[in-house]
Amino acid sequence: MNKYVLIVDCGNTNTSIGVFKENKLYSRIDIPSSIDAINGSLSRMLNFKKKLLLDDEELTGGLISSVVPSLNKAIITLLKEAFGKSIPIMDNTYFFDIKMDVNNPNEVGGDLLADAIAGKKLFDAPTLIIDLGTITKLIVLDKNKKFIGTSFFPGVETCLKSMKEKTALLPEISLNKRPKKFLGNNTVDAMQSGLYYGTLGLIKYSSIMVDDMFEGKVNKILTGGNSILFKNDANEFIIDENLVLKGIYLIYLDNIGK
């Protein structure tokens, strides 16, 4: 048998679609989170499905976590056309197997919940998770694996876009590798260096702050689309680019897949 589950993380920048088999992430595909990109991705999804030899009859279920409600209908339609089944959207009626010390649990986004639940179930506590996405999110679980709070910071891509949009002369650039030097000798190098080492400083100082909170060993995970950039400089962190997908899958198991 070749049974599988579809797990979807619709974020502000990209929508990631993961195929889980035998409780493990088997493969994933990323689509830009825009209505045009999603509506135009059917042939790509069918090729993805064909390459993995996925049969509609073997699809046992799935779950979508979305922080972009305007894209929900398009994602459901894409998956229905590609795989022949409707995949539900996760909402606050689902059971989330984690205690939270927050003012309003309904405000906690699906990506934060997925990170926290994956952190709880896959790692020892206390735990620091830093998710380097459109928004950089810091998530802390205490010694009892309770979600005790979070902190937000503009992500790498958000900062790059802001520098271009809020200035007259700075160019549009990308950051896809570690800068060779701390100080740049031209505009592009200076922008890339500032963003890389500024984000690295956030990662490292957050690590120090959480270490101080618990006066001992803290398990630290770096995830999100930009996490792999920092693997050589944030070596106290475990790098897991797929933590959100794994967390959504765990939520699926707790609610649908038993």
Side-chain angles (χ1 to χ4, degrees):
M1 300 294 285
N2 197 30
K3 294 187 180 297
Y4 63 97
V5 173
L6 289 177
I7 297 297
V8 182
D9 170 31
C10 177
N12 288 291
T13 301
N14 288 307
T15 293
S16 299
I17 301 170
V19 174
F20 281 76
K21 291 184 178 183
E22 298 179 347
N23 293 325
K24 293 182 179 180
L25 180 62
Y26 180 65
S27 188
R28 66 178 272 181
I29 185 172
D30 296 325
I31 301 169
S33 289
S34 73
I35 195 71
D36 290 340
I38 292 170
N39 286 340
S41 292
L42 180 58
S43 62
R44 189 175 171 212
M45 286 300 302
L46 291 172
N47 288 334
F48 174 71
K49 175 182 166 184
K50 182 178 180 180
K51 181 180 178 181
L52 297 181
L53 303 176
L54 301 177
D55 188 324
D56 290 353
E57 297 302 318
E58 301 294 337
L59 174 59
T60 59
L63 187 61
I64 301 166
S65 171
S66 173
V67 296
V68 191
S70 61
L71 297 179
N72 291 357
K73 184 177 179 180
I75 294 168
I76 292 171
T77 299
L78 173 64
L79 296 177
K80 179 72 178 292
E81 291 177 346
F83 294 92
K85 290 185 181 179
S86 292
I87 304 299
I89 300 278
M90 185 174 77
D91 59 31
N92 59 17
T93 66
Y94 278 63
F95 167 67
F96 301 110
D97 186 18
I98 192 164
K99 294 180 179 179
M100 294 187 283
D101 185 10
V102 297
N103 293 339
N104 183 358
N106 290 334
E107 287 184 353
V108 181
D111 51 352
L112 281 176
L113 284 166
D115 273 334
I117 288 172
K120 174 191 172 183
K121 296 194 174 190
L122 302 178
F123 299 94
D124 292 332
T127 313
L128 167 64
I129 300 164
I130 301 182
D131 188 333
L132 299 174
T134 307
I135 298 296
T136 293
K137 299 172 285 289
L138 279 62
I139 301 150
V140 177
L141 310 182
D142 69 10
K143 293 178 181 179
N144 297 314
K145 298 194 173 186
K146 179 191 288 186
F147 176 13
I148 60 170
T150 186
S151 181
F152 295 161
F153 187 82
V156 170
E157 301 302 327
T158 303
C159 289
L160 287 171
K161 184 177 180 181
S162 179
M163 283 198 287
K164 164 64 177 172
E165 292 181 350
K166 299 298 182 181
T167 65
L169 297 177
L170 291 181
E172 182 176 351
I173 65 167
S174 61
L175 179 64
N176 49 33
K177 63 181 180 179
R178 181 184 187 272
K180 294 180 179 179
K181 298 188 297 181
F182 176 64
L183 297 177
N185 297 110
N186 57 65
T187 299
V188 171
D189 286 355
M191 293 171 69
Q192 291 175 331
S193 178
L195 273 174
Y196 180 87
Y197 289 105
T199 302
L200 180 62
L202 171 70
I203 292 168
K204 287 189 169 292
Y205 191 68
S206 298
S207 176
I208 292 170
M209 293 286 286
V210 175
D211 280 340
D212 288 345
M213 287 173 63
F214 295 108
E215 299 179 346
K217 179 175 172 56
V218 176
N219 288 281
K220 300 166 185 175
I221 304 99
L222 206 58
T223 189
N226 292 300
S227 58
I228 198 70
L229 279 174
F230 298 91
K231 65 178 181 179
N232 293 326
D233 287 317
N235 48 25
E236 70 269 38
F237 283 78
I238 297 168
I239 308 294
D240 188 342
E241 295 178 279
N242 297 305
L243 195 70
V244 171
L245 286 175
K246 292 176 182 178
I248 300 167
Y249 178 70
L250 291 168
I251 295 168
Y252 163 82
L253 291 179
D254 284 336
N255 287 269
I256 302 171
K258 288 185 176 180

